[in-house]
Amino acid sequence: MPPMDPMRSAHAKLLAGDFLSLAASPSAAPSFSRRGRPVSRAEAAGIVVSYDRRPKLLRFLLDDGSGCIPCVLWLNHHFLPQSPAFSSRENIAAAASAADVHAGKVRLGELVRVRGRVTGFRGVLQITVKDVLVERDPNAETLHWLQCLKLARDCYDLPPPPAPARRA
Amino acid sequence: MASSVIKPGILVSLQELDSSSPLFKEGQSVRATGKLESYSVESGMAVIIDGGATLLIDTQHLRDISFRPGSIYQFIGELHISQDSQAVLEARIGRNVDGIDLNLYHQTIQLRRKFEADLAKTKAA
């Protein structure tokens, strides 16, 4: 079995242009990769340039100058059948409340940072958002860009690290 | 995979927005940053300045933003070029970015362009 690539479980910090270039594998459970390395979670920062809130979800677009990343934040916790992820009604209520708080932060023109899973919808890559952070410092965006460039050069562009040698 | 309909506002400095620039064209989406030099409540027109260059901004579609001359603002929108080659940015997004380090911002834009050019080369290969 091939070694687990640490990129698979990390939130990859990607510029929109880089994110939108991820390769999608055509399978029933789609997976995404960058230069052959798996990317399942992503972190992005940008300005909210559109949003559409509905009872069950919030859709919005993040523009970082290199592209617009479609984001979706689900607000449907109360509509779902009991999931193994939620052990009780209180957990569902807490998750729904947290999603509602995150959705309230998304406003037109706001600089936000999002983290979540990389997913696809109707042939378009998107982030299924887990959390939203409003950036008050305008330099946070510049710092994010520099981190994206450095991580690409020093980590994401490199082959995965070899698995640790097993002891006999 | 396909892309979204709204075009990203390409990061530009005001000095780059002259008639020789490939970005200087009708309908081009850009993100421009500069110090507010003037603002007219009647017309909704604003002028921002950076590095000696100015840009006229049409703010009539913006809501919930107050304009203070001397503060730094960032706008995303589409360029409209008049017959006498005067550019107006019709803003759909505007925000105050007081405190931004403009030197670092412009240097980072240059680094990003190099990175994005390399990325495009990799994709084309």
Side-chain angles (χ1 to χ4, degrees):
Chain A
M1 190 174 154
M4 175 84 163
D5 188 330
M7 257 188 89
R8 187 183 297 279
S9 55
H11 285 92
K13 288 191 181 198
L14 298 171
L15 294 175
D18 206 354
F19 175 86
L20 296 168
S21 304
L22 292 177
S25 74
S27 62
S31 60
F32 305 91
S33 61
R34 181 188 186 281
R35 295 193 179 194
R37 298 188 66 179
V39 177
S40 60
R41 296 181 177 88
E43 178 175 325
I47 297 175
V48 179
V49 291
S50 80
Y51 73 95
D52 176 18
R53 184 165 181 163
R54 298 181 181 204
K56 294 184 182 179
L57 78 159
L58 169 69
R59 288 194 167 281
F60 57 101
L61 277 179
L62 281 191
D63 181 350
D64 76 355
S66 66
C68 292
I69 299 181
C71 298
V72 60
L73 178 58
W74 287 101
L75 306 167
N76 61 346
H77 302 76
H78 290 302
F79 299 95
L80 294 172
Q82 185 96 19
S83 151
F86 302 115
S87 57
S88 68
R89 286 246 163 247
E90 288 74 25
N91 283 355
I92 295 175
S97 171
D100 207 46
V101 168
H102 287 304
K105 298 174 190 169
V106 177
R107 296 192 310 184
L108 214 56
E110 203 83 73
L111 172 63
V112 300
R113 179 190 300 275
V114 300
R115 293 192 308 170
R117 285 184 301 113
V118 182
T119 53
F121 179 65
R122 292 180 178 166
V124 179
L125 279 162
Q126 62 178 15
I127 297 179
T128 297
V129 174
K130 181 142 189 344
D131 48 59
V132 178
L133 176 75
V134 176
E135 294 287 4
R136 298 290 175 209
D137 182 348
N139 296 301
E141 190 180 28
T142 312
L143 178 62
H144 175 80
W145 296 341
L146 290 168
Q147 287 174 331
C148 289
L149 302 190
K150 182 169 169 51
L151 282 165
R153 187 192 63 196
D154 295 350
C155 178
Y156 308 153
D157 286 352
L158 306 179
R166 287 191 179 175
R167 289 187 181 172
Chain B
M1 283 196 163
S3 59
S4 60
V5 177
I6 295 180
K7 296 267 185 272
I10 305 297
L11 308 170
V12 291
S13 65
L14 300 189
Q15 297 98 310
E16 289 172 310
L17 286 178
D18 62 21
S19 54
S20 64
S21 165
L23 294 172
F24 194 86
K25 61 183 180 195
E26 180 68 22
Q28 174 70 50
S29 300
V30 297
R31 188 199 295 202
T33 308
K35 185 185 283 188
L36 185 70
E37 192 173 62
S38 64
Y39 171 67
S40 163
V41 179
E42 291 78 25
S43 65
M45 299 304 284
V47 176
I48 57 170
I49 183 166
D50 182 42
T54 59
L55 180 64
L56 196 56
I57 313 287
D58 180 350
T59 68
Q60 64 175 322
H61 299 304
L62 302 182
R63 300 283 177 273
D64 303 326
I65 181 168
S66 58
F67 292 104
R68 285 188 305 272
S71 281
I72 303 174
Y73 291 87
Q74 194 163 66
F75 298 97
I76 300 175
E78 282 64 46
L79 285 178
H80 294 293
I81 316 290
S82 65
Q83 288 189 339
D84 58 350
S85 291
Q86 168 81 46
V88 177
L89 180 66
E90 189 175 342
R92 47 187 163 83
I93 298 290
R95 64 190 196 112
N96 180 294
V97 289
D98 278 338
I100 193 170
D101 182 334
L102 278 173
N103 281 334
L104 180 63
Y105 178 77
H106 290 307
Q107 284 177 45
T108 307
I109 289 175
Q110 298 305 321
L111 291 172
R112 274 188 50 158
R113 285 179 182 166
K114 183 174 181 319
F115 174 80
E116 284 157 16
D118 291 346
L119 194 68
K121 265 188 229 162
T122 309
K123 275 200 292 185

